[in-house]
Amino acid sequence: VAETNRAPMDLPEAESELVAGFMTEFSAIGFVYFFLAEYTNILTISTLFFIFFFGISMAIPIVFFMIWIRASLARLRFDQLLTLGWSHILPFTIAYILFLPPFLYVCSQ
């Protein structure tokens, strides 16, 4: 979700920047292109996630999850996002990388 700049992790589009950002500089078709690019990015990231982790190209559950997260959660501050990444996501990723290959090796025997 953070990679697609969607709420709650949309730091480039915080409330104070919306007045001076692309939403006021473009109208009609220009805004539609930005909006379409955002959802195309979500679909691309979701498809790649499913292909890399599950081996299939069904991205609908992740797209639904991203839209649901945006509608449900408040926007994170920059320090909260850094704490989430360094204190929670990074240790989980390192544990995943270290323990999954031996687990798969033992299970394949």
Side-chain angles (χ1 to χ4, degrees), residues 63-107:
V63 171
F64 173 75
F65 178 72
M66 286 185 178
I67 293 172
W68 184 34
I69 291 293
R70 180 176 180 149
S72 300
L73 297 177
R75 191 174 273 126
L76 292 177
R77 293 189 323 257
F78 191 71
D79 62 323
Q80 291 172 330
L81 184 60
L82 286 176
T83 302
L84 176 69
W86 286 102
S87 299
H88 302 289
I89 296 175
L90 185 64
F92 175 76
T93 305
I94 292 172
Y96 183 78
I97 290 170
L98 291 177
F99 294 121
L100 185 66
F103 177 74
L104 292 176
Y105 180 74
V106 169
C107 289

Side-chain angles (χ1 to χ4, degrees), residues 6 13 22-23 26 28-42 70:
R6 300 279 292 172
E13 301 171 10
F22 67 86
M23 294 200 178
F26 295 104
I29 197 69
F31 177 72
V32 168
Y33 287 147
F34 276 108
F35 194 72
L36 188 61
E38 181 179 337
Y39 280 96
T40 303
N41 188 19
I42 291 171
R70 180 176 180 149

Side-chain angles (χ1 to χ4, degrees), residues 41-66 96:
N41 188 19
I42 291 171
L43 188 61
T44 304
I45 294 291
S46 301
T47 303
L48 289 175
F49 174 80
F50 262 86
I51 289 172
F52 290 153
F53 289 101
F54 297 113
I56 57 176
S57 62
M58 186 182 63
I60 301 300
I62 296 296
V63 171
F64 173 75
F65 178 72
M66 286 185 178
Y96 183 78

